[in-house]
Amino acid sequence: MGTQVWPPPNPSGTNPAETARLDVSVVSVTMPLTDLTPPPPEQPPGGGKRPVRRRRQGQADPRGHWFLVAVGVVLMVGALVLNGYATNAVGETHAAPPPADRPSADLDLVRRSGPVLNLTGDKPDSARLPARTVALTFDDGPDPRWTPQLLDVLARHGAKATFFAVGARIAENPELTRRIIAEGHEIGNHTYAHADLTAVPEWRLRLELSLTQKALAGTAGMHTRLVRPPYSSSPAAVTGPQLRALRAMGGEGYLVALTDLDTKDWARPGVEQIVRAALPRRGRGVVIMMHDSGGDRGQTVAAVDRLLTQLAAQRYRATTLTTALGMPSALTPAGGMDRFVGTGLSLAQRGATGFITAMSWILVVAGAITLLRLLFFLVLAWVHARRARGGKRRAGRAPAWPEPPAVTVIVPAYNEAAGIEATVRSLVNTDYPGVLEVVVVDDGSSDDTAAIAASLGLPGVRVIRQENGGKPSALNTGIAHASHDILVMVDGDTVFEPATIGHLVRPLSDPAVGAVSGNTKVGNRRGMIGRWQHIEYVIGFNLDRRAFDLLGCMPTVPGAIGAFRRSALQEIGGVSVDTLAEDTDLTMAMCRGGWRVVYEENALAWTEAPTSLSQLWRQRYRWCYGTLQAMWKHRRAITEPSPFGRRCLGYLTLFQVVLPLLAPVVDVMAVYSVVMGDPLPVVAVWAGFVLVQAFSGWYALRLDRERASVLWVLPLQQFVYRQLMYLVVIQSVATAVLGVRLRWQTIRREGTFAA
């Protein structure tokens, strides 16, 4: 079947521009096809013709990338959990108030014992340091800021110390851990996440100790036989639950180190107080507890310097705990498997920490950029509205049309039987005073679209049938058969208001304007999905177009409503078939060609939006994928002198590709923070963004003269609609990267505007 025109060509050759629009019997002849004529339909092998489907026979959508996305989410959750565990946020434990202890002979014995306990036997055994000997011990490190300063102080005084290190900090600071050992100091086990071992089950206690040993093996190739439980102090302060934990550690073969003198330097009481608390009395040997991490340790560093000076004057020696007791070093070589596992643990810990840190900064920057962008666009929309409604936007550029120009409206239609009658009738029932023709191009529909349009018998309406070639092909056919130089393009599921065509073509009186974008509105907005799309159209589409108009970088004249100058279309070669977003591709080509593309807020078109999530997915998948195609096709515009490439392509890349790809990270981190931490900051940030969006939505609805009561669905939009949109971006990017040619995604029409 070739291209067919209904009504048939007029044999008299009468020019339709000279014919009254209401004369049904005299209709335009078929115009000769120009260079905008679409290529002939494809033919299958063997010679016979068959309809060419709109890319439905392309490659299947990629599915393997969802596995990669799932793996990425799992890795991200794993990083969050590992980092949360290392920072004691997952399974967080803190020292609880000591309970009332039952009388116990072993507990009494421990409370009267020395600071070093051997609990491997039936009865507790202990040791004290010899006279004039101190064992400086530092908990909670290593810390990249304070531990090196303490090591420098110890080196100046020729002193050695024991560092009871947290396994997570060992994994994060391998070089510092190796430096501690290389300079002759000793490392003890202080658990992996600084957990209160009295508040955890025995399996968690063993895990804490084992992970620290693995981290030490992976970073320094060593194990340690010393342990100090977090939230411990002197033997006299040991409680019944602590004794049970100490026994469990003894059962693992550890020598438990408590303290004689707890300086409480973590409270930063002042250098003098720390030194006073650390000085031994009457020459006795002591174990001194300090901290090299967990906050500002400047007072501790200064106190250690002064303490060592005073101890040297009193002829004390400062050495490691095992050396002070005359024992072999607590550090022993680790096996090869433990080193391998420890190296992996260290890398995972550092990777998780780096990932969380990087993502935190990225999310802060992304949030700030998003907020600034919203505020900036609100200001531009306000300026645009004042200029447009004050008649200043195009003042001085060109006079108004001396008389209404003749207009051709092109309606590409594929399986639009449900709504084509309402569309055509809305175009004919216009109050536009100029000559008007309507060209309906049926693109190989399998339903009664063409028959319905032809049976209406409306004046000035022609129906052209062609084999299925896609929407760009249908538009080019309509352009080739159009009788006039001002062309309006409208989708087959859209209806115009009577004044729309007049508003739409008015800006084209400026010869520099090549295209005009109208104001698209959702007609079926009763359901939740319809309301969400209504808000999106007003805020995300029409509000943005006001800003793009002022910035001179309009990315899209929507297929639902747009007016074009024929000469501009001829200059860029017509509607390209290279992408699935032919409207975006066409607009970008016109901007690159030096034509101005403007927005006309009063040119209203009502379109039928998808009514189900699956239909919405298919529509937005095609839009997003086609936009990516158009961006890639016009990527060289970035190097061109016009503002379009720098402003438009940069904006689309950041706000429609990069930030949506980060959206899953935002959601996962938000859920993680709510479940594992304090939910108030997350809720506060979310509420703040919703309030800002609500304000912008209220203003956008006010500009469009819409009721603001619909904003009640905005908070709910964050839990379904937003996720659907960023999943569409992920799918589209994967499809583009994998080089798959996306099939045309059609949606089922409901006939919203049918009588």
Side-chain angles (χ1 to χ4, degrees), residues 148-171:
Q149 296 184 39
L150 284 170
L151 291 174
D152 292 342
V153 171
L154 294 170
R156 286 200 303 270
H157 289 273
K160 305 300 178 184
T162 302
F163 291 82
F164 286 95
V166 174
R169 306 289 83 77
I170 292 174

Side-chain angles (χ1 to χ4, degrees), residues 79 82-83 86-87 168-169 172 347-358:
L82 179 57
N83 185 76
T87 56
R169 306 289 83 77
E172 291 176 357
L347 291 174
Q349 179 64 58
R350 279 179 282 166
T353 302
F355 172 78
I356 300 302
T357 301

Side-chain angles (χ1 to χ4, degrees), residues 47-70:
K49 293 183 179 181
R50 66 183 180 191
V52 180
R53 294 299 178 190
R54 296 186 176 189
R55 300 183 178 92
R56 290 187 183 85
Q57 299 175 2
Q59 295 172 272
D61 296 343
R63 297 300 176 193
H65 72 281
W66 289 121
F67 172 76
L68 298 179
V69 171

